[in-house]
Amino acid sequence: MNTTQQHLTTRGQIIALRQEGLTVRAIADRLAVSTSTVKRWIRRYAETVAIRNNPFSNTVAVREALHLDVCAQTVRSRLHEASIQHRVLAIKERLTEQHRTGRLQFAQQYVGEDLEFWSRVVFTDEKTFASTNHSKIHLWRPNRTR
């Protein structure tokens, strides 16, 4: 096993032992590593889990929720190390032939209606509705996922 694989194994053991309820000191003694190493990997794991549980959160909110004594850039760096990237939600899908056909049928059905009727028509795939924030939606997610 090379050094990188040993480090990954140790990190996994730290998290597993912590989830079993062991203290930081007990984990450090069992794995023959420093307590600061154990604390570091527990904190980094907590940051990653927090973003995965709430991908629409930002790094400042994660830092505050976990009571971390680090800057938001550090949280961002740890997320990037875990292959979790900041993204803006994907652009809406393009109209399909089914959409076009449905719209045409609707228009033909109501061809005699006046402008007031048509001013109230909105196709649900044409407009995004929001009751609060009208800006782009940001989120965190692993690479190559939707």
Side-chain angles (χ1 to χ4, degrees):
M1 190 181 311
N2 66 31
T3 307
T4 303
Q5 290 171 329
Q6 287 174 339
H7 287 234
L8 290 173
T9 301
T10 302
R11 292 174 198 168
Q13 290 172 330
I14 289 170
I15 300 307
L17 291 171
R18 184 61 172 185
Q19 289 176 339
E20 289 178 12
L22 271 69
T23 64
V24 170
R25 176 84 255 158
I27 295 169
D29 290 344
R30 184 179 287 190
L31 300 178
V33 295
S34 68
T35 55
S36 63
T37 298
V38 173
K39 288 177 184 176
R40 178 184 330 117
W41 290 112
I42 290 171
R43 185 187 76 239
R44 288 183 181 183
Y45 178 76
E47 292 168 3
T48 303
V49 168
I51 282 293
R52 284 193 174 141
N53 288 340
N54 187 5
F56 298 103
S57 184
N58 62 41
T59 54
V60 173
V62 169
R63 183 190 69 196
E64 291 172 359
L66 297 175
H67 308 292
L68 299 173
D69 190 23
V70 296
C71 67
Q73 181 58 47
T74 301
V75 175
R76 223 174 276 117
S77 297
R78 299 305 163 249
L79 292 169
H80 290 169
E81 286 174 9
S83 296
I84 298 176
Q85 303 294 322
H86 175 263
R87 302 279 189 249
V88 175
L89 281 181
I91 298 172
K92 293 182 275 187
E93 294 180 23
R94 300 203 184 277
L95 292 179
T96 65
E97 191 58 40
Q98 184 180 1
H99 291 120
R100 290 183 185 97
T101 304
R103 287 181 179 195
L104 180 59
Q105 289 173 350
F106 180 84
Q108 288 172 339
Q109 182 180 353
Y110 294 99
V111 73
E113 296 293 333
D114 59 6
L115 284 178
E116 184 182 337
F117 170 82
W118 288 105
S119 69
R120 294 188 315 263
V121 174
V122 176
F123 294 99
T124 58
D125 59 351
E126 176 180 289
K127 181 80 175 141
T128 302
F129 296 95
S131 60
T132 56
N133 189 352
H134 296 289
S135 62
K136 293 179 180 177
I137 299 174
H138 300 265
L139 74 149
W140 291 86
R141 66 176 179 223
N143 289 335
R144 292 184 283 284
T145 62
R146 273 217 159 169

